[in-house]
Amino acid sequence: MIKIGNFARLSQVSVVTLRYYDEMDLLKPVRVDTFTGYRFYSADQLPRLNRILALKDLGFSLEQIKLILADGLTSEQLRGMLTMQRNEVEKRLADEGERLRRIEARLRQIELEDKMPKYDVVIKSTPAMLVASRRVTIPTNDQVPQYLDIAYMEVYSYVHQQGAKDTGPCFTLWHSPSDVYENEDVEAIVPIDRQLQGTDRVQVYELPSTQVAAVVHQGNFEDFTQGHAAILEWIDANGYQIVGPYREIYIKHHKDELSNSTTEVQFTVEKA
């Protein structure tokens, strides 16, 4: 029999780890001194310990390893577990590859501009939400404020008349591409807390969850379209493509304080 300290040195595994494997019923000592509680191991246990370490190196959790080492596991089941583990590793590698490409794109941007970018683009999933919406067509881009003001007034008036509450900042959903400036198809949207009947002018529906590339513009509202340019440049540099309408979320927006506004711009995207 080998004392736990010697067994740890022999196997190059810490005493703490061996004790934990004992608690997990992965590798029990062959004998425990009844007086001192000292653990003793056998050289015959080294192959089992090596298998535990090998499976751990493959990324399996200790619970999974315990299942693999159980007598009832068939080769087909083991093959299935290894296949799942391979798929997880491949996904992690793909995710890290995407992260590396984003780092390279940021480095190129800094090299071109010789400064930190003004906007930071992030990929995230928007939650599904219940909304009230007024969809309008705006003849020319200079009429956007006029048309949207009226649309939002109509939506808010309907929501409050029905006894519902808005649950977040209002936003526009632009169905026309960002480089279209005539006959723009747009929704004035207000998130709400309950289902309403809706009318022929104000629609109520669940806006589905979607993946977006997003930036936050802080400052003069008149300059927030710079965020559009930043996202479009990022999308092109990072191998994404636009696959749906984009949003402008008016987080902090007061007509008498437009110089200190906060607007989030979101483009629906997927990998090209």
Side-chain angles (χ1 to χ4, degrees):
M1 289 187 293
I2 308 171
K3 291 182 178 180
I4 187 172
N6 294 333
F7 191 73
R9 285 190 290 274
L10 183 63
S11 59
Q12 295 186 324
V13 173
S14 71
V15 170
V16 172
T17 298
L18 290 173
R19 287 173 178 163
Y20 187 59
Y21 289 172
D22 180 12
E23 294 173 7
M24 291 284 295
D25 291 330
L26 273 171
L27 188 71
K28 305 292 291 183
V30 293
R31 187 172 76 83
V32 178
D33 190 287
T34 55
F35 293 102
T36 65
Y38 210 80
R39 296 170 172 85
F40 293 87
Y41 292 83
S42 166
D44 295 340
Q45 292 178 289
L46 283 172
R48 181 179 177 89
L49 178 57
N50 280 348
R51 177 160 292 182
I52 292 171
L53 297 176
L55 291 170
K56 192 169 181 290
D57 180 64
L58 293 177
F60 286 107
S61 69
L62 295 182
E63 288 293 342
Q64 289 174 315
I65 294 172
K66 189 175 178 180
L67 180 61
I68 292 171
L69 295 179
D71 294 335
L73 195 67
T74 66
S75 59
E76 187 64 31
Q77 289 172 320
L78 178 58
R79 187 180 296 111
M81 294 181 70
L82 287 168
T83 300
M84 290 178 61
Q85 192 66 17
R86 181 190 63 191
N87 294 340
E88 291 179 9
V89 171
E90 287 176 346
K91 184 180 184 305
R92 286 197 296 271
L93 287 173
D95 291 342
E96 289 303 310
E98 289 299 320
R99 182 174 289 108
L100 178 60
R101 281 187 282 274
R102 291 197 294 272
I103 291 171
E104 290 172 345
R106 175 60 68 91
L107 285 171
R108 288 194 299 271
Q109 187 178 12
I110 292 174
E111 289 169 2
L112 288 172
E113 300 178 4
D114 197 27
K115 61 180 181 180
M116 280 293 292
K118 181 178 179 180
Y119 297 100
D120 293 301
V121 181
V122 297
I123 293 290
K124 62 182 181 180
S125 294
T126 62
M129 66 182 76
L130 187 65
V131 300
S133 161
R134 174 78 172 99
R135 190 164 182 169
V136 296
T137 300
I138 304 176
T140 57
N141 189 257
D142 61 323
Q143 295 175 287
V144 166
Q146 173 190 346
Y147 273 74
L148 285 182
D149 282 351
I150 295 173
Y152 279 118
M153 288 177 59
E154 189 171 351
V155 174
Y156 275 113
S157 176
Y158 172 76
V159 169
H160 295 155
Q161 285 175 3
Q162 299 300 312
K165 296 180 180 179
D166 50 288
T167 59
C170 62
F171 60 93
T172 52
L173 190 65
W174 296 85
H175 295 276
S176 299
S178 58
D179 58 352
V180 172
Y181 303 108
E182 294 183 349
N183 297 319
E184 296 176 87
D185 183 8
V186 59
E187 289 183 71
I189 289 179
V190 176
I192 56 176
D193 65 344
R194 70 191 67 178
Q195 181 67 51
L196 301 176
Q197 183 66 34
T199 69
D200 58 341
R201 294 176 64 83
V202 178
Q203 305 298 312
V204 176
Y205 65 95
E206 183 177 82
L207 191 64
S209 172
T210 187
Q211 177 181 258
V212 298
V215 299
V216 175
H217 172 81
Q218 177 73 49
N220 197 323
F221 182 72
E222 293 182 358
D223 299 329
F224 89 98
T225 53
Q226 295 175 7
H228 290 70
I231 290 182
L232 294 174
E233 182 179 343
W234 185 94
I235 288 172
D236 183 61
N238 288 273
Y240 281 81
Q241 61 184 1
I242 299 170
V243 292
Y246 66 95
R247 308 180 189 189
E248 294 170 357
I249 305 172
Y250 310 115
I251 299 170
K252 180 183 177 184
H253 186 85
H254 301 289
K255 288 185 176 181
D256 54 349
E257 295 183 19
L258 291 181
S259 62
N260 188 28
S261 66
T262 303
T263 309
E264 182 171 350
V265 182
Q266 301 177 345
F267 276 76
T268 305
V269 295
E270 67 179 15
K271 286 298 295 182

